[in-house]
Amino acid sequence: MSAQSADVSATARAHGRKVAAVAKKTGSDSIPDNEWIARHQPWYKRLANHFRRYWEIWTMILPAVGFVLLFNYVPMYGIQLAFRDYDVTKGLTGGKWVGTEYFEQFFRDPLFGEIIRNTFRISLWTLVMGFIAPIILALLINQIASPKVKGFVQTITYMPHFISTVVIVSMINIFLSPGTGLLGRFFGRTSLMGDPKAFTSIYWISEVWQHMGWNCIIYLAALSSVDTALYEAARIDGAGRLQLIRYVDIPTIMPTVGVLLILNMGSILGVGFEKVWLMQNTLNITASEVISTYTYRIGILDTQFSYSTAIGLFNSLVNFFFLVIANYIAKKTSDTSIF
Amino acid sequence: METVINSKTAHMTPEQKAAAGMKRTPTNRHVHQKLTVSDTVADVIIVLILALVLIAIIYPLWFVLVASFSDPTAVANGQVSLLPKGITLAGYAKIFHDSRIWIGYRNTLIYAVLGTAVNLLVTIPCAFGLSRKEFRPRRVIMFLFTFTMFFGGGMIPSYLLMKQLGLLNSMWVFILPGAVSVYNVIIARSFFESSIPEDLFDAARIDGLSYWGYFLKIVLPLSSAILAVIGLYYFVGHWNDYFTGLIYIRDQDLEPLQNVLQNILLANQTKPGMAQLTAAQSQNIGDQIKFGIIIVSALPLIILYPFLQKYFDKGVMIGAVKG
């Protein structure tokens, strides 16, 4: 510490006029403002001071920063592959520049319309239903008076969230198998998994089933912060149970709803790859081919790296666009935003 | 950086809330008031819907468990509903003798344990560092992290990067690329900011502790809840990871459990021309093995679940703070 203060006083002497200015500012002749002096040192001294003080924090965060840079930002740099011909010998970024050729190829692709329609249909259904269900469930669970019963209901509803996608899809397959399955036997000989018309419904219903309980935690947290005086006041004014939900509970969770809606909008074309891929079969492919599965098919299986990167980039850009739009609208209308 | 929920009270236990003079149950039941008819009707409807939801969630899981112990023909004929019929362990015996499953099990156990250890070692110190408000560069670094949640390089550039790094067909592809989950960094950082009193830091500084000393001796012992939550998130993520194995692993001896499961559970699903080949009998036995495999594969999570479920609320509520 003494070395530091000696350093500061030396600087103070060197910047005599500035110190005088500070003294005038603080209204005292004798006490120099150390912070002001530290802020007005040359940049290399400030940098040295910073590292002397915070080198430990840097050692804490550097491993994580390194991982993020390597595994998130290097692939982002590699996006330029979408504008180049992939060349095995030249690696990620060395191929010939071809501009937007691969994007045009995607727009001309005979499957383009079908893939976009499938992606929008599946993700919109999942988004809307997967968004409404947890809100309703949270409002209902919040009505349970006994903490024990409430805890039990929550424990049960969280459970499916931890089941892996592979297991969920195989459960769907077994339950829907025609004739013998738990649900399949009600549909006679028709195979629901092989029916393109049923694909979207199976997808979003199983999504809601799996994640509804987990996603309602955040609303329950918001509801638990309601001031009980509000309920009492509303009761005295003659509000019934449903009116309490309508005029107290729902306004309480609205900010949370807004933020989550924005976050969800960012994945409007982000139908999870794994589940669609696992649910796909040759019979339902016309309804189940989405952007991410097509990227995988073209890229990893057919090794058309540049084309596949272009499709992936198109997907990311559309998602990002919707995120920004949703954020802008929410900011204008309700003062909720994520950035 | 404003909070979505009331972060001051959200992570308090009921006891703490009671101590702080707050009411324990934030429910709207008021016994001194006469219930109206419409209230009673609303109550009945609410209870009915909740009961239906509970049954819809628990019954399929219960059915898988029961069916794995039952006579496969009875299951196929719809005679098994609530309790097992014709109890048999034949399915489990077959699973026990299938070496593929045990190789997958062993691999996933290694990947999950080692991976979670690396995750925690990287994530927790980083989250602590970013929680220190006097550390100015934290805003830039947080932005760098958060941006990756909304935009990424995509499948192919990542694949080519792994190829260049020599991570294809290597166990490290399960451990290194996912070492940092930004979402978990944000949760842990929010926890350190809101749950560790700042006075502790001042006291530790006066006692001459460095940042690492303060972190290891004071903060970590107070953070078992967040360690449990984040450890659980990471562990479940590793255990259920299917994507990594699908894209980066070609060697069968390195395949994790989920990919082995996919080969067994979904390989002979209804594909044209295939379903008709298998006789009804063997199809049923196959189904029984599938039920058994589902139970066996979820066993570690089923065992962990009761111990960890009290932390779930806490984790999500801390995470409800905007990044």
Side-chain angles (χ1 to χ4, degrees):
Chain A
M1 282 312 273
S2 62
Q4 213 171 343
S5 58
D7 187 33
V8 168
S9 63
T11 327
R13 246 175 278 123
H15 297 270
R17 277 175 62 198
K18 280 181 184 169
V19 174
V22 184
K24 210 179 275 171
K25 206 171 71 191
T26 53
S28 150
D29 287 335
S30 53
I31 307 166
D33 183 343
N34 285 344
E35 256 180 49
W36 190 92
I37 295 164
R39 239 182 291 145
H40 286 81
Q41 282 181 325
W43 66 270
Y44 53 88
K45 275 201 176 163
R46 274 183 294 149
L47 204 65
N49 274 337
H50 174 82
F51 280 110
R52 191 158 53 229
R53 201 176 287 184
Y54 295 122
W55 66 271
E56 281 184 292
I57 291 191
W58 280 108
T59 60
M60 287 172 177
I61 64 170
L62 270 184
V65 171
F67 276 115
V68 169
L69 284 182
L70 179 59
F71 291 111
N72 292 96
Y73 281 90
V74 172
M76 265 187 237
Y77 180 69
I79 281 179
Q80 52 179 290
L81 193 61
F83 305 96
R84 291 176 187 275
D85 272 330
Y86 178 67
D87 186 338
V88 191
T89 55
K90 287 175 185 156
L92 210 54
T93 55
K96 192 176 132 251
W97 186 268
V98 293
T100 56
E101 189 190 301
Y102 287 107
F103 290 92
E104 284 157 34
Q105 186 185 342
F106 181 48
F107 298 142
R108 283 195 312 266
D109 196 312
L111 284 173
F112 176 75
E114 188 180 287
I115 290 171
I116 297 289
R117 272 197 304 278
N118 287 342
T119 313
F120 262 111
R121 190 181 57 245
I122 295 172
S123 70
L124 270 182
W125 272 99
T126 315
L127 207 94
V128 172
M129 294 309 193
F131 189 71
I132 295 172
I135 298 176
I136 295 173
L137 184 65
L139 291 173
L140 293 179
I141 290 180
N142 192 51
Q143 295 299 314
I144 303 175
S146 148
K148 273 201 181 133
V149 177
K150 201 171 173 181
F152 172 75
V153 172
Q154 281 178 270
T155 308
I156 299 290
T157 49
Y158 298 168
M159 239 187 249
H161 178 76
F162 295 94
I163 301 173
S164 78
T165 315
V166 175
V167 167
I168 289 281
V169 175
S170 67
M171 276 170 67
I172 297 173
N173 268 312
I174 299 173
F175 287 159
L176 292 183
S177 71
T180 58
L182 195 59
L183 294 167
R185 67 175 63 120
F186 300 113
F187 294 90
R189 290 247 137 255
T190 51
S191 159
L192 284 178
M193 283 305 281
D195 183 1
K197 284 202 279 297
F199 186 86
T200 311
S201 312
I202 298 172
Y203 186 90
W204 75 254
I205 291 172
S206 58
E207 275 299 289
V208 167
W209 180 80
Q210 192 182 3
H211 299 296
M212 170 172 65
W214 185 255
N215 291 340
C216 85
I217 299 179
I218 189 164
Y219 298 114
L220 285 173
L223 285 170
S224 74
S225 70
V226 175
D227 190 351
T228 41
L230 266 180
Y231 287 129
E232 273 154 33
R235 272 291 183 192
I236 290 166
D237 287 349
R241 169 142 302 181
L242 292 177
Q243 280 159 317
L244 286 184
I245 296 178
R246 167 72 184 82
Y247 293 106
V248 181
D249 289 350
I250 291 181
T252 304
I253 57 173
M254 272 331 262
T256 317
V257 171
V259 171
L260 287 185
L261 187 63
I262 301 168
L263 286 173
N264 285 338
M265 284 298 282
S267 56
I268 195 146
L269 277 189
V271 185
F273 164 79
E274 285 186 24
K275 193 167 172 192
V276 177
W277 176 253
L278 289 166
M279 282 173 69
Q280 252 179 17
N281 57 44
T282 39
L283 296 175
N284 64 24
I285 191 89
T286 49
S288 65
E289 188 78 305
V290 295
I291 297 181
S292 56
T293 55
Y294 195 61
T295 317
Y296 176 76
R297 212 181 292 281
I298 295 289
I300 306 283
L301 299 184
D302 292 353
T303 63
Q304 300 183 47
F305 290 146
S306 294
Y307 186 27
S308 178
T309 309
I311 301 173
L313 177 58
F314 171 76
N315 192 4
S316 300
L317 288 178
V318 174
N319 280 341
F320 203 70
F321 174 75
F322 276 104
L323 178 73
V324 173
I325 294 280
N327 193 50
Y328 177 79
I329 294 172
K331 210 175 200 168
K332 282 276 169 225
T333 53
S334 68
D335 254 9
T336 358
S337 75
I338 56 166
F339 46 67
Chain B
M1 298 270 177
E2 72 189 275
T3 49
V4 176
I5 56 162
N6 188 346
S7 65
K8 250 187 178 166
T9 56
H11 50 79
M12 288 167 91
T13 62
E15 292 77 41
Q16 282 174 311
K17 280 191 181 176
M22 284 179 258
K23 292 203 175 147
R24 259 184 96 113
T25 42
T27 46
N28 46 19
R29 194 177 57 168
H30 299 280
V31 272
H32 59 275
Q33 231 149 19
K34 219 177 74 185
L35 284 177
T36 61
V37 179
S38 74
D39 274 3
T40 321
V41 172
D43 276 355
V44 170
I45 293 173
I46 288 169
V47 169
L48 270 180
I49 297 175
L50 276 175
L52 277 178
V53 169
L54 275 192
I55 291 170
I57 286 176
I58 200 72
Y59 185 66
L61 303 174
W62 178 248
F63 182 81
V64 170
L65 184 66
V66 168
S68 73
F69 287 107
S70 297
D71 177 22
T73 327
V75 176
N77 293 338
Q79 290 161 353
V80 174
S81 50
L82 271 181
L83 292 169
K85 254 208 177 77
I87 294 180
T88 164
L89 289 172
Y92 284 103
K94 282 211 178 63
I95 295 165
F96 209 75
H97 289 111
D98 193 334
S99 66
R100 287 179 300 174
I101 292 177
W102 297 115
I103 292 176
Y105 225 93
R106 184 203 60 197
N107 288 342
T108 291
L109 213 57
I110 296 173
Y111 303 155
V113 171
L114 199 62
T116 306
V118 171
N119 289 140
L120 289 177
L121 280 177
V122 177
T123 304
I124 299 296
C126 172
F128 171 77
L130 292 174
S131 77
R132 298 307 315 164
K133 290 201 171 63
E134 71 272 18
F135 180 66
R136 289 286 177 77
R138 74 182 198 136
R139 292 187 66 92
V140 183
I141 294 167
M142 268 325 289
F143 179 80
L144 200 76
F145 279 18
T146 319
F147 186 68
T148 63
M149 289 175 81
F150 301 108
F151 196 77
M155 200 183 284
I156 301 304
S158 302
Y159 175 82
L160 293 173
L161 174 70
M162 301 304 166
K163 205 171 167 185
Q164 279 188 348
L165 293 173
L167 288 176
L168 287 195
N169 258 331
S170 141
M171 68 172 282
W172 296 104
V173 81
F174 293 96
I175 291 157
L176 298 179
V180 188
S181 146
V182 172
Y183 180 73
N184 288 339
V185 171
I186 292 174
I187 294 179
R189 189 199 61 161
S190 311
F191 175 85
F192 291 136
E193 277 177 3
S194 61
S195 300
I196 309 285
E198 199 52 30
D199 298 346
L200 279 181
F201 179 70
D202 299 336
R205 275 309 227 193
I206 291 168
D207 287 348
L209 277 180
S210 62
Y211 277 112
W212 271 108
Y214 171 64
F215 171 61
L216 293 173
K217 289 185 187 143
I218 314 268
V219 174
L220 273 192
L222 291 172
S223 309
S224 53
I226 200 67
L227 289 179
V229 168
I230 290 187
L232 171 82
Y233 285 175
Y234 276 130
F235 188 84
V236 173
H238 285 295
W239 194 266
N240 288 343
D241 183 16
Y242 164 73
F243 186 78
T244 314
L246 176 74
I247 297 213
Y248 300 120
I249 297 297
R250 294 286 166 271
D251 187 347
Q252 290 218 327
D253 289 336
L254 287 171
E255 276 200 339
L257 184 62
Q258 296 302 327
N259 298 73
V260 174
L261 288 183
Q262 193 248 343
N263 292 338
I264 298 172
L265 292 175
L266 296 167
N268 57 346
Q269 59 177 290
T270 29
K271 291 230 157 90
M274 261 183 71
Q276 287 80 2
L277 291 175
T278 47
Q281 194 85 33
S282 67
Q283 168 80 29
N284 294 344
I285 295 170
D287 275 357
Q288 192 196 19
I289 294 175
K290 287 179 184 176
F291 288 126
I293 289 177
I294 289 174
I295 299 295
V296 171
S297 75
L299 214 54
L301 298 184
I302 295 172
I303 295 169
L304 281 177
Y305 191 74
F307 295 103
L308 290 166
Q309 65 101 1
K310 63 175 171 174
Y311 292 122
F312 293 162
D313 285 10
K314 212 171 233 178
V316 175
M317 282 193 260
I318 297 164
V321 176
K322 280 192 263 171

